[in-house]
Coordinates of all heavy atoms in Angstrom, one line a residue:
R145 N -305.0 -37.4 -148.8 CA -306.0 -38.4 -149.3 C -305.3 -39.7 -149.4 O -304.1 -39.8 -149.7 CB -306.6 -38.0 -150.6 CG -307.1 -36.6 -150.7 CD -308.6 -36.6 -151.0 NE -309.1 -35.3 -151.2 CZ -309.9 -34.7 -150.3 NH1 -310.3 -35.4 -149.3 NH2 -310.4 -33.5 -150.5
Y146 N -306.1 -40.8 -149.3 CA -305.5 -42.1 -149.4 C -304.9 -42.3 -150.8 O -303.8 -42.8 -151.0 CB -306.6 -43.2 -149.2 CG -307.0 -43.3 -147.7 CD1 -308.4 -43.4 -147.4 CD2 -306.1 -43.4 -146.7 CE1 -308.8 -43.6 -146.1 CE2 -306.5 -43.6 -145.4 CZ -307.8 -43.6 -145.1 OH -308.2 -43.8 -143.8
L147 N -305.7 -41.9 -151.8 CA -305.2 -42.1 -153.2 C -303.9 -41.4 -153.5 O -303.0 -41.9 -154.2 CB -306.3 -41.7 -154.2 CG -306.0 -41.9 -155.6 CD1 -305.8 -43.4 -155.9 CD2 -307.1 -41.4 -156.5
G148 N -303.7 -40.2 -152.9 CA -302.4 -39.5 -153.0 C -301.3 -40.3 -152.5 O -300.2 -40.3 -153.1
L149 N -301.4 -40.8 -151.3 CA -300.4 -41.6 -150.7 C -300.1 -42.9 -151.5 O -299.0 -43.3 -151.7 CB -300.7 -42.0 -149.3 CG -300.3 -40.9 -148.2 CD1 -300.9 -41.4 -146.9 CD2 -298.9 -40.7 -148.2
I150 N -301.2 -43.5 -152.0 CA -301.0 -44.8 -152.8 C -300.2 -44.5 -154.0 O -299.3 -45.2 -154.4 CB -302.4 -45.4 -153.0 CG1 -303.0 -45.9 -151.7 CG2 -302.2 -46.5 -154.0 CD1 -304.4 -46.3 -151.8
I151 N -300.6 -43.4 -154.7 CA -299.9 -43.0 -155.9 C -298.4 -42.6 -155.6 O -297.5 -43.0 -156.3 CB -300.6 -41.8 -156.6 CG1 -301.9 -42.2 -157.2 CG2 -299.7 -41.1 -157.7 CD1 -302.7 -41.1 -157.7
C152 N -298.2 -41.9 -154.5 CA -296.8 -41.5 -154.1 C -296.0 -42.8 -153.8 O -294.9 -42.9 -154.4 CB -296.9 -40.6 -152.9 SG -295.3 -40.0 -152.3
Y153 N -296.4 -43.7 -153.0 CA -295.6 -44.8 -152.6 C -295.5 -45.8 -153.8 O -294.4 -46.4 -154.0 CB -296.3 -45.6 -151.5 CG -296.2 -44.9 -150.2 CD1 -297.3 -45.0 -149.2 CD2 -295.2 -44.0 -149.8 CE1 -297.2 -44.4 -148.0 CE2 -295.2 -43.4 -148.6 CZ -296.2 -43.5 -147.7 OH -296.2 -42.9 -146.6
G154 N -296.5 -45.9 -154.6 CA -296.4 -46.7 -155.8 C -295.4 -46.2 -156.8 O -294.6 -46.9 -157.4
T155 N -295.4 -44.9 -157.0 CA -294.5 -44.2 -157.9 C -293.0 -44.4 -157.5 O -292.2 -44.7 -158.3 CB -294.8 -42.7 -158.1 OG1 -296.1 -42.5 -158.5 CG2 -293.8 -42.0 -159.0
I156 N -292.8 -44.3 -156.2 CA -291.4 -44.5 -155.7 C -291.0 -46.0 -155.8 O -289.9 -46.3 -156.1 CB -291.4 -44.0 -154.3 CG1 -291.5 -42.5 -154.2 CG2 -290.1 -44.4 -153.6 CD1 -291.7 -41.9 -152.9
G157 N -292.0 -46.9 -155.6 CA -291.6 -48.3 -155.6 C -291.6 -49.0 -156.9 O -291.0 -50.1 -157.1
L158 N -292.2 -48.4 -158.0 CA -292.3 -49.1 -159.3 C -290.9 -49.5 -159.9 O -290.8 -50.7 -160.3 CB -293.0 -48.2 -160.3 CG -294.5 -48.2 -160.1 CD1 -295.1 -47.2 -161.1 CD2 -295.1 -49.5 -160.3
P159 N -289.9 -48.6 -159.9 CA -288.6 -49.1 -160.5 C -288.0 -50.2 -159.7 O -287.3 -51.1 -160.3 CB -287.7 -47.9 -160.5 CG -288.6 -46.7 -160.2 CD -289.9 -47.2 -159.6
F160 N -288.2 -50.2 -158.4 CA -287.6 -51.3 -157.6 C -288.3 -52.6 -157.8 O -287.7 -53.7 -157.9 CB -287.6 -50.9 -156.1 CG -286.8 -49.7 -155.8 CD1 -287.3 -48.5 -155.7 CD2 -285.4 -49.9 -155.5 CE1 -286.6 -47.4 -155.4 CE2 -284.7 -48.8 -155.3 CZ -285.2 -47.5 -155.2

Side-chain angles (χ1 to χ4, degrees):
R145 307 240 186 250
Y146 288 135
L147 185 59
L149 276 174
I150 293 167
I151 290 172
C152 183
Y153 292 148
T155 302
I156 291 170
L158 283 177
F160 294 96

